[in-house]
Amino acid sequence: MNPMRQLDRRAFVVGAASAGLALGFDVPFGGPTAVRAADGTREVNAWVVIRPDDTVVIRIARSEMGQGTLTGLAQLVAEELECDWSKVTTEYPTPGQSAARKRPWGSFNTGGSIGIRASQQYVRRGGAAARVMLLQAAANEWKVPAVECVAADSVITHAPTGRTVTYGKVAEAAAKLEPPTDVELKDPRDWKIAGRSMKRLDTADKTTGKMIYGIDVRLPGMLSAAIRACPVFGGKLKSFDEAKIAGLKGVGKVMRVGDDAVAVIADTWWRAKTALDALPIVWDEGDNAKVSSASIAGWLEEGLDPAQPAFVGNADGDARGAIAGAARTIEAVYDYPYQNHAALEPLNATALYTPDKCEVWTGTQDGERAFTAVVQASGLPSDKCDVHKVMLGGGFGRRTVPDYVRQAVLIARQMPGTPVKLVWSREEDMTHGRYHPVTQCKLTGAFDADDNLTGLHMRISGQSIAASSTPELLKDGMDPFTFQGVASSGEAFANIGPARLGYTIPHLLIDHSMRNPHVPVGVWRGVNGNQNGIYLECFMDELAHSAGQDPLAFRCKLMANHPKHLAVLDAVAERVGWSSPAPQGVFRGIAQQMGLGSYVAAAAEISVTDTNRIRVHRIVAATDPGTVVNPAQIERQIAGSFVFGLTGLFYGGCTVKDGRIAQTNFDTYNAMRIREMPKVEAIVMPSGGFWGGVGEPTIAVAAPAVLNAYFAATGKRIRSVPLSNLDIVFA
Amino acid sequence: MAKLSINGQMIDIDVEPDTPLLWAIRENVGLTGTKYGCGIAQCGACTVHMDGVAMRSCGVLVSEAVGRQITTIEGLAINGVLTRVQQAWIDHDVPQCGYCQSGMIMAVAALLKDNPQPSDADIDDAITNICRCGTYQQIREAIHAAANV
Ligand code: FES
Ligand code: FES
């Protein structure tokens, strides 16, 4: 069974009018007569539908893209619901339903590793409220006080008499009750379903080819669209010569999409794409066509000059004075390139437009942002629009931006009544990304005569994600997210969780000279922690070596005030055996960071051949995410994060030539394969009391741990990514 | 027009002979378990079996597939009974997003047919598909588990 079933649209119309009561919770549960499920079953509340056969349908607003959020959130609801886990399935509500009910499911945003932690409280309350209602319904039927009834595994027992009834039998009655105004949540220490390594709910269909991704959507009478947007960002479409492809089999309309793209419609995508490849197109590329990686690098380099103005992200004491008066200073310059997300499923969306309705089927990391794009592009009122989410073939941040949804609607508007599936070719996907931002960094460390670190200036120069994609998040022009992982203790990063520097340095200055080239950038799994991890953690190694100290001991001295940062670092050092020699020919590196609300550290063991061939033998990675919902899924996220981070280190890197991205497919933008996969040993060590993310944070320590090990092996520092540019590859 | 043998059935499709087999399978036959990832034989998401051999179907033309026995992910399980590879994938909770996994499973099924007890090095040589989610560690475990059933 596909767990991604949508709510039935007709049922939704029934419930919409009466729903949306605020009940004193962060997020309302929906009214007593709210939405029915597809089969007509009345919901207990917005989160929970229980069928007469005891099947439990848990509604999830965040998107599943492989990270396990669907299963984790269902575990949290089920925990409070006290239902039988083996009977749980899930479904997505639509953003249109949410809007009509005053957002009972809260945010749909699934970026920044917030899927579970940002909604854990209200989904647990949703489950708890449903349990209370089910207990009350049973008590009413038995005419006994509800306090005499207990629930476990979807069975309600009247303790004094031993009578029992299953949830499925009382769900219809429970749905008619007033929801409770307050509920108590369990202490995580008492969890039985949450906190355990439950198997994912969405695996079976992924092994048989049955799982439906956006690219697999089929609607009656549907046509397919292939698209090409101006290869130079900011450029426009001038003209195209439709006559040249007239008469090609299966090919229909050729159309403008916005002011910068052209699409070909055909009965199959392959025919549309083949025709598009043959279509003569004239672009107005504009001035951006003169920009190259070299011109961008030159501009960023100017920003490294300490005299250039910069936004201050973290400061203590007088770093400039400490550097000027130091017994000794050392300095290094690093850089980090553009990277494409390259989710394995190319971007796509299917749209059906009629003058009074517009619906879209797509994989999106933020249903509500996609919904807004549909409303804007269709020109229809929001209650005439909706988005039906399907499984994502990877997201990694790229599917937070609904540019492809907008295009699909603009195409469908030109063909009212005909559903159209827009699929980007891999080449379109590679060249129209929302890339990892490009930055450089100059670090200067000051030592006193006794080799104590007295000052550090970390000057970042380069691009801001917020300026490019979410300018509303800028604070007086500054992008606080630039300082992810090196932020001051006061910085909250409200929506993605704290990302504080783990060192106390007497005189500190971390600042950002913002320079925004024309290439659009966005959140790329791990976000700004990725480059900050390399910059700071590799430089920490440089500082330690220049002071003749062990990299671990050097860090520990600066981390006394940061016990949680220190605990994960100690954990990896101990597990990797830092205090004893590595095996013959094997060298070690370490790194730590806090990001997206979690504390992480890694130790790498690598060997390097005479011809610069690297084998990463072993990675030990520790994470303290505060609270753990599914340890096995966290281990998988950690292992996967090293594939993502080390792919970026070894192979990543999009270069700009004539204003466009030069890499067009996996032949020039490689990805790690199984041969290159190190053994990842994950240490999951929740210290309790907070909720951190797990899908991304460890990416930030992957590259610096390996780079520091490379120095240990060779005595050479690498300060530039990707390694393939330096002719350093996997063995 | 072309006549293809897919999952044991002969199917007539209206398609140019130079169409990649991948797109004929997905769009003309309507079996969407076989995925498009790159179109240039780099990622392996489109892996199918042709006469029992793993092939990247984006690099095979329909004209080259005529007269061959093609098996897709949908045809792997016989009468709904999952193969040991599929079962190992479930037991080890391998897929993350799952988009690469049809191709992975097809590649692994072909490997185990030729080499029922592959070593880690054999796996490294034979399995060159891309998984962007990074499920390689679980894939390796599941291959060994399937080999030892
Ligand atoms: S789609 Fe065929 S190998 Fe990538
Ligand atoms: S599971 Fe997502 S690409 Fe492999």
Side-chain angles (χ1 to χ4, degrees):
Chain A
M1 185 163 36
N2 190 330
M4 316 307 291
R5 274 185 327 272
Q6 298 290 336
L7 295 175
D8 181 76
R9 229 182 315 139
R10 282 158 302 145
F12 154 60
V13 175
V14 174
S18 59
L21 304 178
L23 296 164
F25 300 105
D26 299 333
V27 172
F29 294 137
T33 54
V35 176
R36 284 171 186 272
D39 61 358
T41 310
R42 186 196 286 265
E43 70 180 29
V44 180
N45 64 23
W47 304 96
V48 176
V49 176
I50 299 174
R51 302 217 179 90
D53 68 356
D54 288 323
T55 310
V56 178
V57 182
I58 295 177
R59 296 199 181 126
I60 309 286
R62 312 275 178 175
S63 298
E64 179 59 48
M65 51 190 159
Q67 83 283 37
T69 242
L70 187 86
T71 304
L73 286 172
Q75 283 178 264
L76 289 171
V77 175
E79 180 66 54
E80 296 292 342
L81 182 59
E82 298 285 2
C83 69
D84 179 348
W85 178 250
S86 70
K87 301 218 163 71
V88 168
T89 80
T90 62
E91 70 183 7
Y92 284 146
T94 70
Q97 291 161 350
S98 182
R101 294 177 67 175
K102 300 197 175 71
R103 300 184 79 218
W105 296 283
S107 171
F108 282 56
N109 182 15
T110 321
S113 297
I114 60 171
I116 288 178
R117 59 201 170 104
S119 40
Q120 51 90 6
Q121 203 174 39
Y122 56 76
V123 305
R124 290 156 74 202
R125 286 178 169 184
R131 183 196 70 236
V132 169
M133 292 159 78
L134 290 158
L135 283 167
Q136 186 63 55
N140 291 352
E141 196 172 304
W142 292 328
K143 302 197 170 49
V144 300
V147 289
E148 291 179 6
C149 301
V150 291
D153 283 335
S154 292
V155 178
I156 299 168
T157 305
H158 179 232
T161 60
R163 273 181 295 185
T164 63
V165 66
T166 66
Y167 276 4
K169 304 279 180 302
V170 292
E172 181 82 16
K176 294 176 190 148
L177 299 175
E178 279 296 322
T181 51
D182 203 2
V183 287
E184 222 173 284
L185 298 182
K186 288 186 185 175
D187 187 313
R189 277 175 297 212
D190 301 327
W191 283 349
K192 300 184 297 270
I193 297 171
R196 302 257 167 113
S197 291
M198 297 301 183
K199 290 283 183 64
R200 297 177 62 112
L201 295 169
D202 52 353
T203 298
D205 284 351
K206 291 175 175 174
T207 65
T208 57
K210 284 203 191 95
M211 180 60 77
I212 297 296
Y213 299 82
I215 202 168
D216 305 323
V217 166
R218 264 175 304 174
L219 298 173
M222 184 181 83
L223 298 178
S224 287
I227 195 161
R228 185 157 301 155
C230 184
V232 177
F233 308 104
K236 306 283 175 237
L237 172 65
K238 224 183 214 165
S239 62
F240 50 85
D241 187 358
E242 213 179 321
K244 288 277 192 312
I245 59 167
L248 284 180
K249 194 161 181 203
V251 174
K253 282 194 178 183
V254 183
M255 59 174 71
R256 270 178 187 274
V257 183
D259 61 2
D260 67 347
V262 55
V264 175
I265 315 298
D267 57 351
T268 66
W269 185 78
W270 182 253
R271 282 173 172 162
K273 189 227 178 236
T274 307
L276 180 63
D277 287 344
L279 179 71
I281 307 169
V282 182
W283 306 106
D284 173 6
E285 296 184 347
D287 279 350
N288 289 336
K290 301 192 192 103
V291 177
S292 67
S293 285
S295 70
I296 292 171
W299 187 33
L300 265 52
E301 211 178 308
E302 291 168 19
L304 297 178
D305 179 350
Q308 288 283 323
F311 295 108
V312 175
N314 195 350
D316 219 340
D318 174 17
R320 290 174 193 267
I323 289 165
R328 174 171 81 79
T329 63
I330 73 162
E331 186 179 288
V333 173
Y334 287 76
D335 61 66
Y336 195 90
Y338 289 118
Q339 305 247 14
N340 190 292
H341 300 78
L344 202 56
E345 180 196 13
L347 295 174
N348 63 80
T350 301
L352 171 58
Y353 172 92
T354 63
D356 57 11
K357 190 156 187 65
C358 186
E359 286 178 281
V360 165
W361 291 258
T362 193
T364 169
Q365 286 179 247
D366 189 342
E368 291 185 316
R369 209 168 158 194
F371 178 72
T372 303
V374 174
V375 172
Q376 285 169 356
S378 68
L380 294 173
S382 60
D383 62 349
K384 304 278 193 243
C385 297
D386 215 345
V387 173
H388 307 278
K389 298 198 299 177
V390 288
M391 182 64 73
L392 285 68
F396 313 125
R398 179 62 182 89
R399 284 186 160 95
T400 59
V401 183
D403 47 342
Y404 55 101
V405 173
R406 174 181 158 272
Q407 287 180 339
V409 172
L410 292 177
I411 291 167
R413 260 186 98 162
Q414 299 180 58
M415 310 188 65
T418 303
V420 184
K421 175 160 73 182
L422 169 68
V423 178
W424 288 19
S425 65
R426 173 59 59 194
E427 289 75 14
E428 189 69 12
D429 193 296
M430 278 298 300
T431 53
H432 293 86
R434 290 291 185 276
Y435 303 87
H436 190 297
V438 65
T439 53
Q440 297 180 9
C441 185
K442 180 192 263 183
L443 299 109
T444 310
F447 286 99
D448 66 16
D450 298 323
D451 275 333
N452 296 306
L453 184 69
T454 54
L456 175 72
H457 183 191
M458 177 173 175
R459 163 59 64 86
I460 303 162
S461 174
Q463 204 157 359
S464 149
I465 296 170
S468 180
S469 63
T470 45
E472 68 277 10
L473 296 178
L474 294 173
K475 291 202 176 106
D476 298 325
M478 169 170 140
D479 178 354
F481 300 95
T482 301
F483 302 98
Q484 186 186 329
V486 296
S488 69
S489 53
E491 179 55 64
F493 287 111
N495 57 343
I496 60 166
R500 294 185 289 264
L501 179 68
Y503 302 107
T504 301
I505 298 166
H507 301 284
L508 176 75
L509 177 60
I510 303 178
D511 54 4
H512 175 215
S513 171
M514 191 191 291
R515 278 142 206 269
N516 296 319
H518 75 297
V519 176
V521 295
V523 291
W524 187 93
R525 192 174 180 189
V527 205
N528 290 304
N530 297 324
Q531 73 271 21
N532 290 342
I534 293 177
Y535 299 160
L536 186 65
E537 286 303 297
C538 290
F539 193 63
M540 273 293 156
D541 248 49
E542 298 205 43
L543 292 169
H545 284 283
S546 90
Q549 296 174 32
D550 171 76
L552 175 65
F554 182 82
R555 284 176 171 83
C556 289
K557 270 196 297 188
L558 304 172
M559 296 176 75
N561 299 333
H562 309 276
K564 287 187 196 274
H565 291 79
L566 188 56
V568 287
L569 186 64
D570 277 341
V572 298
E574 193 189 320
R575 173 75 68 86
V576 84
W578 189 265
S579 56
S580 48
Q584 181 70 30
V586 172
F587 298 87
R588 293 183 182 136
I590 48 165
Q592 65 83 22
Q593 194 183 71
M594 180 191 198
L596 303 138
S598 292
Y599 302 84
V600 300
E605 287 191 342
I606 75 166
S607 57
V608 185
T609 69
D610 296 342
T611 54
N612 256 334
R613 302 291 175 262
I614 296 182
R615 181 154 278 278
V616 183
H617 301 276
R618 181 183 176 210
I619 295 281
V620 176
T623 286
D624 176 2
T627 311
V628 162
V629 176
N630 188 318
Q633 290 309 318
I634 293 178
E635 285 173 17
R636 282 159 175 73
Q637 285 303 297
I638 291 173
S641 78
F642 281 86
V643 177
F644 214 78
L646 296 182
T647 289
L649 173 65
F650 279 82
Y651 297 125
C654 297
T655 50
V656 181
K657 190 166 180 289
D658 302 327
R660 69 202 80 202
I661 296 295
Q663 290 71 22
T664 57
N665 206 320
F666 289 117
D667 53 347
T668 46
Y669 191 76
N670 203 353
M672 258 172 85
R673 318 286 163 123
I674 201 168
R675 166 196 293 283
E676 299 148 350
M677 177 78 195
K679 183 170 167 31
V680 176
E681 297 167 38
I683 306 170
V684 182
M685 43 187 288
S687 58
F690 64 99
W691 292 68
V694 297
E696 303 178 83
T698 38
I699 296 178
V701 289
V706 169
L707 288 172
N708 289 338
Y710 181 85
F711 176 83
T714 65
K716 284 188 230 127
R717 280 286 165 202
I718 296 169
R719 302 190 183 92
S720 188
V721 173
L723 301 185
S724 54
N725 285 353
L726 309 170
D727 203 26
I728 302 171
V729 296
F730 282 108
Chain B
M1 291 296 284
K3 194 184 269 296
L4 293 179
S5 164
I6 298 187
N7 300 334
Q9 269 188 295
M10 293 303 291
I11 301 172
D12 286 306
I13 52 173
D14 166 28
V15 75
E16 288 74 42
D18 62 352
T19 301
L21 177 61
L22 164 66
W23 294 102
I25 291 171
R26 287 184 54 82
E27 302 196 292
N28 302 91
V29 181
L31 294 174
T32 55
T34 306
K35 300 302 189 205
Y36 165 58
C38 68
I40 58 166
Q42 287 286 321
C43 75
C46 63
T47 304
V48 300
H49 295 171
M50 252 169 65
D51 294 337
V53 178
M55 298 286 284
R56 293 184 172 171
S57 64
C58 67
V60 176
L61 303 181
V62 164
S63 56
E64 297 164 333
V66 171
R68 318 284 293 272
Q69 300 288 327
I70 297 154
T71 306
T72 70
I73 184 76
E74 291 90 345
L76 209 55
I78 311 255
N79 297 326
V81 180
L82 296 182
T83 60
R84 62 202 166 121
V85 178
Q86 290 166 306
Q87 193 56 53
W89 249 240
I90 291 173
D91 294 344
H92 290 257
D93 235 1
V94 173
Q96 289 189 25
C97 84
Y99 194 78
C100 71
Q101 301 295 348
S102 295
M104 288 285 184
I105 289 169
M106 296 307 282
V108 169
L111 167 66
L112 290 184
K113 197 157 66 68
D114 295 344
N115 181 353
Q117 295 284 334
S119 65
D120 279 339
D122 295 338
I123 293 169
D124 289 345
D125 288 342
I127 306 302
T128 57
N129 294 13
I130 292 175
C131 173
R132 284 291 282 155
C133 298
T135 60
Y136 298 128
Q137 194 149 316
Q138 284 72 41
I139 288 173
R140 191 184 296 281
E141 283 169 17
I143 295 172
H144 287 308
N148 289 315
V149 169

